[in-house]
Amino acid sequence: QRRREAWGGESSVKRDANMVFLDLLLSRCCRRCLHREDFEFEAEVDANASKGHQEPSHTPSRYFLLGFKDRNLEQEFLEDLVGTTIRTRVLVGYCASTALFLFIPFMQSLVVYDSIRWFADQPEEYLGKFYIEDLVVKTYVPLCLSLVIWLGGLAGIVAMYSLKSFKNRRIAVLYLVGAVYLAYVAVMAYDFAIMCERWGFIFAGPGSWIIRMMFYDLPPLISLTFMSLPTLLNLEILGCTAMIYLVIVPLLSPRRNVWLDLQTDNVLENVERLSPIPLAHCAEGEKANECIMPSDITMSSGVIATPLAMLIAITLTVVIVSALLESSNRKMFSNNKIIRAQQKRLAATNAQRENLLLQQHKDQEHLLLSMFPKDVARDLIERYRAEYNHGSRRAVIQAMNPVGNLCQTVARMHHDVTILFTDIVGFTPMSQACEPYEIMFFLHSLFSSFDNLIEMDPELWKVETVGDAFMVAAGLGIGASCFPASNETEETVEYIRVESGTNDSLAASGEPKEFRIKSRKFRSRDGMFSAASSAVHFGSAAIRQGGSIFMPNGVRCQIRVGVHTGDVCSGVVGSRMPRYCLFGDTVNTASRMESSGVPGRMQISEATHALV
């Protein structure tokens, strides 16, 4: 899929990373062949993280001079290179090249304008073969055209960096920079082809065209050394420059091959013309070139060879420096990609961890809601959230155990609550005669059916099971269909702990505990009737449900039920495996009503009978 996106469609990834001419051919015609891998930094970081390695063991492979084998990654690298890494260097280097052109070729031509006018005004007989009728025009037109090229390129580069439409197409800056330098070389090469012989005639004789090329035409190219352009682009600019100035123009000069100026006869002629030794000192019959000193020939050859050697040295320096800088930029780009991939993975890990923690909190809240009545569970959850949002160290530690601080939970006084106990008749003899796993399966089946009955009535709440006993409460005001708060009979009592060096200074010192009434709720008689009625209906259904199954010893199960209505106190006890418990004489009375009852029957107290 990624390859199809790379070669087709309107995706910006398919834009070729071509410079001007050379890699235009490579990118357009050979891109499919050059694309040899699809390197994913995220996959590499994940693979190394799974192995316990911090640094990736593999990096994107590269071609020599052509960049990454992943051409999409090469495109991204060039966009990042031009857009951020070398942006300042490109602008400064380009301005330096423009300044060098203005101060060397352009200003020098303006300085010698009067001399050029003098030569242009001389008769043809005086100047001979160097006479050019339109000397001024042919001198300044290439310079003015070069100035237009430099200024136009500068305006284009600034526009590309400023306009938002080029934000994702900054690689076009490389095209423009390469085109400007090559256009300048072409224009100055044309001027060089016309003026090279006239330059030698005016200044330094044969071979001085090399001096002109080095110190007049090519100084603007020196700024390529620190612009950090891709090596292939620098190699293309300098290679084209060397080909034009050293091969094409010298061999195809309009008048003759200027490389002939470096032959021995022409060098001797130049020495004879410029030598400080007067020819009158030559011996009689001795030719002029025979009395020239060897040092003069060496000096004349050095004057020609030195600029050529400097040109070669500068070219090699630019290529080597650009190669080193590009290698450093590619390494920095890969490191940045790795860092971004690691940050992305870390962010995903943190998000996953937060989601896991959030899910864990939800599960714990759901567990609390299943363990305690909704009011109690919500009070615990709100207390935990208040401490957690406060940011205390203690609250952060309790993130994995939000029920670890239940000692501050309030106690509630409930009025007119109906308590019900069930007991299995003959359970003790049966448990001695049967296997434990059979007993556990029997109890699980029976109590699960009781749980289903409780789920059907929101007034009921399963308090606990102890052995074969099953305890249910009705009228705690915890169901979905509870009566309004103003009609509920409930007092909430909060225990105020005094902070000290011990865990419980009140208990240690024997001082009286401090309580306060947090809230009061009252309920009508209709609510009490509904709670008692729900308990009685549950007892009847439990007797029927128990009678429908057999115990592991083959005896039909018989249930004994006791019910009583009165006041109770509820609260959460303990911090490890906390339990929601009910206390009071009502609980004891209901238990005695059950234990003194008849098998297969439900015994209710007078208080409960008065309500139902």
Side-chain angles (χ1 to χ4, degrees):
Q1 178 66 25
R2 183 179 176 185
R3 288 180 181 270
R4 288 197 296 269
E5 292 178 355
W7 309 127
E10 299 180 355
S11 175
S12 62
V13 178
K14 74 184 181 71
R15 296 194 305 272
D16 298 296
N18 38 16
M19 296 300 104
V20 183
F21 298 115
L22 178 60
D23 47 350
L24 172 63
L25 176 64
L26 293 175
S27 298
R28 293 291 184 183
C29 302
C30 305
R31 179 179 174 88
R32 188 183 296 271
C33 298
L34 292 175
H35 189 83
R36 292 298 183 183
E37 70 174 2
D38 293 309
F39 192 87
E40 294 289 347
F41 286 93
E42 291 80 2
E44 185 67 21
V45 169
D46 292 340
N48 284 274
S50 62
K51 297 178 183 178
H53 300 159
Q54 295 183 353
E55 296 295 334
S57 57
H58 298 89
T59 56
S61 54
R62 290 187 285 173
Y63 291 109
F64 178 71
L65 294 179
L66 299 181
F68 295 115
K69 292 184 179 180
D70 186 347
R71 304 314 292 174
N72 300 324
L73 186 62
E74 177 69 13
Q75 169 73 20
E76 185 179 353
F77 163 71
L78 292 176
E79 290 283 358
D80 180 76
L81 180 71
V82 181
T84 58
T85 307
I86 63 172
R87 176 174 180 171
T88 303
R89 293 192 177 194
V90 168
L91 292 173
V92 173
Y94 191 90
C95 292
S97 296
T98 306
L100 288 173
F101 167 75
L102 290 174
F103 284 103
I104 298 179
F106 197 78
M107 293 300 295
Q108 286 184 5
S109 298
L110 292 180
V111 170
V112 300
Y113 175 77
D114 292 336
S115 300
I116 295 176
R117 289 296 305 172
W118 181 84
F119 278 102
D121 294 338
Q122 300 305 312
E124 184 178 356
E125 295 79 5
Y126 180 80
L127 294 177
K129 63 179 179 179
F130 297 105
Y131 177 78
I132 301 176
E133 184 176 2
D134 54 347
L135 180 62
V136 176
V137 175
K138 290 186 177 181
T139 299
Y140 289 101
V141 167
L143 293 174
C144 294
L145 182 58
S146 298
L147 180 61
V148 171
I149 291 173
W150 285 115
L151 297 180
L154 179 61
I157 293 174
V158 173
M160 289 180 183
Y161 277 123
S162 302
L163 297 178
K164 294 183 178 180
S165 58
F166 284 93
K167 184 177 181 179
N168 297 324
R169 294 182 294 175
R170 296 284 170 77
I171 193 174
V173 173
L174 296 180
Y175 308 155
L176 182 58
V177 170
V180 167
Y181 277 95
L182 290 180
Y184 168 75
V185 169
V187 172
M188 296 305 291
Y190 170 76
D191 181 65
F192 174 78
I194 297 175
M195 299 292 292
C196 61
E197 288 188 88
R198 188 180 313 113
W199 182 281
F201 170 77
I202 298 173
F203 295 95
S208 61
W209 59 272
I210 297 179
I211 300 176
R212 170 205 159 97
M213 174 186 65
M214 182 64 193
F215 298 104
Y216 185 82
D217 291 348
L218 302 185
L221 273 62
I222 296 176
S223 59
L224 293 175
T225 307
F226 59 86
M227 289 178 68
S228 298
L229 297 177
T231 306
L232 188 60
L233 178 57
N234 281 332
L235 193 60
E236 182 179 353
I237 295 173
L238 297 176
C240 291
T241 301
M243 183 65 66
I244 292 173
Y245 274 89
L246 301 181
V247 179
I248 297 177
V249 172
L251 295 179
L252 302 180
S253 180
R255 299 190 179 277
R256 67 186 180 88
N257 183 0
V258 295
W259 281 109
L260 299 177
D261 293 342
L262 302 181
Q263 292 180 349
T264 303
D265 295 340
N266 291 329
V267 172
L268 292 175
E269 179 184 351
N270 187 42
V271 173
E272 181 181 351
R273 175 172 174 262
L274 300 176
S275 176
I277 302 177
L279 296 180
H281 292 175
C282 294
E284 184 178 354
E286 186 178 10
K287 296 181 180 180
N289 57 3
E290 294 178 356
C291 66
I292 297 176
M293 299 176 61
S295 59
D296 293 335
I297 299 177
T298 303
M299 182 181 65
S300 181
S301 300
V303 170
I304 298 174
T306 299
L308 187 61
M310 291 177 61
L311 177 62
I312 297 174
I314 292 175
T315 301
L316 293 176
T317 300
V318 171
V319 172
I320 294 174
V321 170
S322 63
L324 294 176
L325 290 176
E326 181 178 357
S327 177
S328 176
N329 291 332
R330 288 184 183 276
K331 184 176 181 180
M332 182 173 62
F333 171 76
S334 298
N335 292 337
N336 290 335
K337 291 285 289 183
I338 291 172
I339 292 174
R340 285 195 290 267
Q342 291 175 340
Q343 291 175 344
K344 184 177 179 180
R345 185 177 185 277
L346 181 60
T349 303
N350 292 337
Q352 184 179 6
R353 187 177 302 169
E354 290 177 1
N355 293 334
L356 182 62
L357 184 61
L358 181 62
Q359 183 62 38
Q360 189 175 22
H361 288 168
K362 291 181 179 179
D363 294 340
Q364 291 172 346
E365 291 178 4
H366 180 72
L367 179 62
L368 289 177
L369 290 173
S370 64
M371 291 175 57
F372 308 118
K374 292 182 180 180
D375 291 344
V376 177
R378 285 171 182 157
D379 182 72
L380 296 177
I381 293 172
E382 289 176 0
R383 286 174 176 270
Y384 158 70
R385 286 177 176 174
E387 293 184 2
Y388 185 81
N389 294 333
H390 187 266
S392 63
R393 178 179 176 85
R394 181 182 180 185
V396 174
I397 295 177
Q398 290 178 345
M400 304 302 295
N401 185 20
V403 298
N405 193 25
L406 298 178
C407 59
Q408 296 181 358
T409 303
V410 297
R412 288 180 171 84
M413 298 296 299
H414 304 270
H415 301 285
D416 300 319
V417 175
T418 300
I419 304 298
L420 179 145
F421 278 93
T422 69
D423 184 69
I424 301 174
V425 179
F427 178 80
T428 300
M430 181 268 297
S431 62
Q432 294 175 353
C434 300
E435 295 292 335
Y437 61 86
E438 294 178 331
I439 299 172
M440 291 299 300
F441 180 78
F442 164 70
L443 290 177
H444 175 71
S445 300
L446 179 63
F447 289 167
S448 294
S449 63
F450 288 177
D451 291 339
N452 294 333
L453 294 175
I454 292 175
E455 291 292 334
M456 297 171 60
D457 194 335
E459 282 284 356
L460 301 176
W461 175 259
K462 175 184 176 180
V463 180
E464 61 179 348
T465 60
V466 180
D468 63 326
F470 194 92
M471 180 180 177
V472 178
L476 292 175
I478 59 177
S481 61
C482 295
F483 294 92
S486 60
N487 294 328
E488 294 182 359
T489 306
E490 177 183 298
E491 292 180 355
T492 302
V493 182
E494 184 175 19
Y495 167 46
I496 307 301
R497 181 185 296 274
V498 178
E499 297 295 338
S500 65
T502 62
N503 292 332
D504 195 346
S505 60
L506 299 179
S509 61
E511 297 178 2
K513 299 177 177 61
E514 182 179 353
F515 296 92
R516 70 181 181 188
I517 303 299
K518 185 176 182 180
S519 62
R520 285 188 173 90
K521 300 177 182 179
F522 301 94
R523 186 173 52 184
S524 64
R525 181 176 177 81
D526 293 336
M528 294 183 286
F529 166 76
S530 176
S533 177
S534 296
V536 170
H537 285 301
F538 172 81
S540 300
I543 294 174
R544 290 193 300 271
Q545 185 68 31
S548 65
I549 61 177
F550 290 87
M551 294 189 295
N553 59 0
V555 179
R556 185 179 295 276
C557 178
Q558 286 186 309
I559 301 298
R560 188 169 52 229
V561 179
V563 183
H564 178 60
T565 301
D567 300 338
V568 297
C569 175
S570 69
V572 179
V573 178
S575 60
R576 183 176 180 85
M577 297 182 64
R579 297 176 60 189
Y580 179 72
C581 300
L582 297 180
F583 305 94
D585 290 338
T586 302
V587 177
N588 298 331
T589 303
S591 178
R592 288 194 296 270
M593 295 296 293
E594 174 270 319
S595 60
S596 61
V598 179
R601 295 289 184 268
M602 175 172 52
Q603 183 173 216
I604 64 177
S605 64
E606 293 184 4
T608 304
H609 183 271
L611 292 174
V612 298

